[in-house]
Amino acid sequence: MAKQDKLNRVPPFIPFLWQDWRSSANVASMTFTQRGFYLEMLIDQWIYGDLPGDAWKLHKQCGGRSDFRTTVKWLDKYSDLLVCTQHSNSR
């Protein structure tokens, strides 16, 4: 399926419970940049259904919107927050 065709099939909204976000100890421990990176990953996961486990591939999939070192640091500290949708469990 072409990328644009897939994008056209994704609902234009993401279920986001702001109360859970604001009360999360993990999110509270993140810098503002890390929170933005995490939100971008959640959006990409909503659109594409899965995120690559490899730091470089994840960085590229997220459009290189942050420094690669930010991706590596985020994964080192918070990778347990990501869900592997292929296996329905945390990475």
Side-chain angles (χ1 to χ4, degrees):
M1 177 182 317
K3 183 177 180 178
Q4 188 57 47
D5 191 38
K6 179 158 181 86
L7 290 175
N8 291 337
R9 295 172 189 259
V10 176
F13 60 89
I14 184 171
F16 185 81
L17 301 173
W18 64 267
Q19 297 95 336
D20 291 348
W21 179 269
R22 290 275 172 94
S23 65
S24 168
N26 286 313
V27 172
S29 72
M30 293 178 193
T31 66
F32 193 73
T33 299
Q34 289 171 329
R35 286 183 207 153
F37 183 72
Y38 183 32
L39 186 55
E40 288 292 337
M41 285 191 293
L42 291 173
I43 292 168
D44 281 355
Q45 189 169 30
W46 177 253
I47 294 169
Y48 303 112
D50 203 7
L51 295 172
D54 177 74
W56 182 251
K57 289 178 182 175
L58 177 63
H59 173 72
K60 295 311 258 181
Q61 179 170 319
C62 292
R65 293 184 281 264
S66 69
D67 184 80
F68 177 64
R69 291 173 294 192
T70 301
T71 305
V72 172
K73 287 179 185 178
W74 195 94
L75 284 173
D76 283 346
K77 191 167 183 179
Y78 300 109
S79 64
D80 59 314
L81 298 178
L82 299 178
V83 174
C84 178
T85 56
Q86 291 177 340
H87 300 94
S88 299
N89 59 16
S90 295
R91 291 181 188 237

